[in-house]
Amino acid sequence: MGWDAFGLPAEQYAIQTGTHPAVTTEKNINRFREQLQALGFSYDWKREVSTTDENYYKWTQWIFLQLLEKDLAYQAEVPVNWCPALGTVLANEEVIDGKSERGDHPVFRKNLKQWMLKITAYADRLIDDLDDLDWPDSVKEMQRNWIGKSQGAEVAFKIKLGGAAAAAAAPAPEIEDGKVFVGGLPWAMTEQDLKDEMGAFGEVSSAKVVTNRETGRSKGYGFVEFKTLAATEKAIAASGSMQLGGRAVTINAAKRSERYAAQPDAAKKVAGAAADEIRVFTT
């Protein structure tokens, strides 16, 4: 049995009553344990853990330090759901119609510095090792979607300018109709999620997540159309530094990206012998 606490409810109760959250959390855990034992549930209480126990969270802190030492943890300014009344960041599922689920307070999109983990650096291992876990297939599939993975290609051509050879690597085209391509999306991301996230750059006209016809799941990329050129340019400038679902995403003008996005084989076929270099990448 595991107890996960010290979240928003415990924090807000502590603020409202002036009682230290450690006191109320321990009291609630004892009450829950008493009720479960009275019901006769056959839990192995010798294996009980609590995230509020220092003998537990000292190891989560140790794990974070290992990630930090290996350059797998870093800080970045990313758009979040900020609730001034609660004084904290909320997950998407904690926001309903622009207000906090707890307290019904207004919530705003805001850029804040956050600790991030580079799961893309070991995404393949996370996905491959799921096969060795004795978990239900539905849970493992959810994990695969959460980890996310997408592929793309960058093509470089040699062109001649005034009789001299020059190298060109996917030059950025003119922005058309305020539309951008967003690559590296988490597989579980919905169109509403994408629209909400990209709203940090300006008002969004539409957002589309490209999905697999058979599974209905995201293929890892999509398109967003902004109402102003300024918002479009701001989004493109954030390419590589913006995080969606803990993953760095690429944002390009849609004209080029629609041709080569997430289709390395197609890129090779289109480029053919004319290509000087084709670099396939995975995010």
Side-chain angles (χ1 to χ4, degrees):
M1 170 57 66
W3 310 103
D4 185 15
F6 279 180
L8 184 60
E11 179 183 283
Q12 288 301 303
Y13 186 81
I15 294 173
Q16 293 166 6
T17 65
T19 308
H20 195 288
V23 175
T24 53
T25 299
E26 183 179 3
K27 181 179 179 181
N28 288 334
I29 287 176
N30 291 337
R31 181 57 177 157
F32 269 114
R33 187 190 302 107
E34 179 184 321
Q35 292 174 327
L36 290 172
Q37 289 175 337
L39 289 169
F41 290 159
S42 57
Y43 293 114
D44 183 357
W45 293 103
K46 296 190 298 295
R47 300 171 64 189
E48 181 181 6
V49 295
S50 172
T51 60
T52 64
D53 185 345
E54 64 179 18
N55 289 320
Y56 175 90
Y57 63 70
K58 74 176 183 181
W59 291 113
T60 62
Q61 293 172 337
W62 179 85
I63 290 171
F64 174 80
L65 291 176
Q66 306 312 302
L67 294 170
L68 184 63
E69 289 178 5
K70 291 176 171 55
D71 196 31
L72 293 173
Y74 64 99
Q75 286 185 309
E77 282 203 359
V78 296
V80 297
N81 298 315
W82 173 251
C83 180
L86 296 178
T88 191
V89 171
L90 302 178
N92 288 337
E93 56 267 25
E94 295 176 305
V95 181
I96 301 175
D97 296 329
K99 294 186 177 181
S100 63
E101 182 181 29
R102 186 178 181 85
D104 202 34
H105 302 296
V107 177
F108 306 94
R109 296 293 290 172
K110 179 179 180 180
N111 283 346
L112 284 179
K113 185 175 288 186
Q114 305 281 302
W115 278 105
M116 315 294 293
L117 299 180
K118 296 180 183 176
I119 65 169
T120 52
Y122 49 92
D124 285 337
R125 181 176 175 184
L126 286 174
I127 293 173
D128 294 342
D129 287 357
L130 285 172
D131 295 333
D132 299 327
L133 295 177
D134 185 19
W135 289 359
D137 289 339
S138 59
V139 174
K140 291 196 283 188
E141 185 61 23
M142 288 174 60
Q143 288 295 307
R144 291 188 183 96
N145 292 334
W146 176 82
I147 295 166
K149 183 178 179 180
S150 62
Q151 289 185 316
E154 182 179 281
V155 184
F157 298 92
K158 280 188 176 180
I159 60 175
K160 288 186 177 181
L161 297 175
E174 293 183 3
I175 299 169
E176 292 185 350
D177 304 323
K179 191 176 182 182
V180 298
F181 160 83
V182 186
L185 297 178
W187 289 348
M189 176 159 282
T190 66
E191 292 183 350
Q192 187 60 50
D193 291 338
L194 180 59
K195 187 175 182 179
D196 292 343
E197 295 285 356
M198 299 300 285
F201 302 113
E203 195 169 355
V204 175
S205 299
S206 64
K208 176 177 177 57
V209 173
V210 179
T211 58
N212 185 298
R213 291 182 180 180
E214 296 180 358
T215 65
R217 297 191 182 92
S218 166
K219 284 187 175 181
Y221 64 98
F223 299 93
V224 176
E225 187 172 346
F226 293 97
K227 290 190 175 181
T228 65
L229 179 61
T232 308
E233 292 176 336
K234 190 184 296 183
I236 293 173
S239 179
S241 62
M242 184 181 185
Q243 299 276 331
L244 293 182
R247 306 181 64 207
V249 297
T250 56
I251 306 172
N252 296 314
K255 182 178 179 181
R256 177 188 70 197
S257 304
E258 285 177 339
R259 296 174 60 192
Y260 298 117
Q263 299 184 42
D265 293 336
K268 291 179 181 178
K269 185 175 180 180
V270 172
D276 180 58
E277 178 185 355
I278 299 178
R279 182 177 67 86
V280 176
F281 58 88
T282 301
T283 60

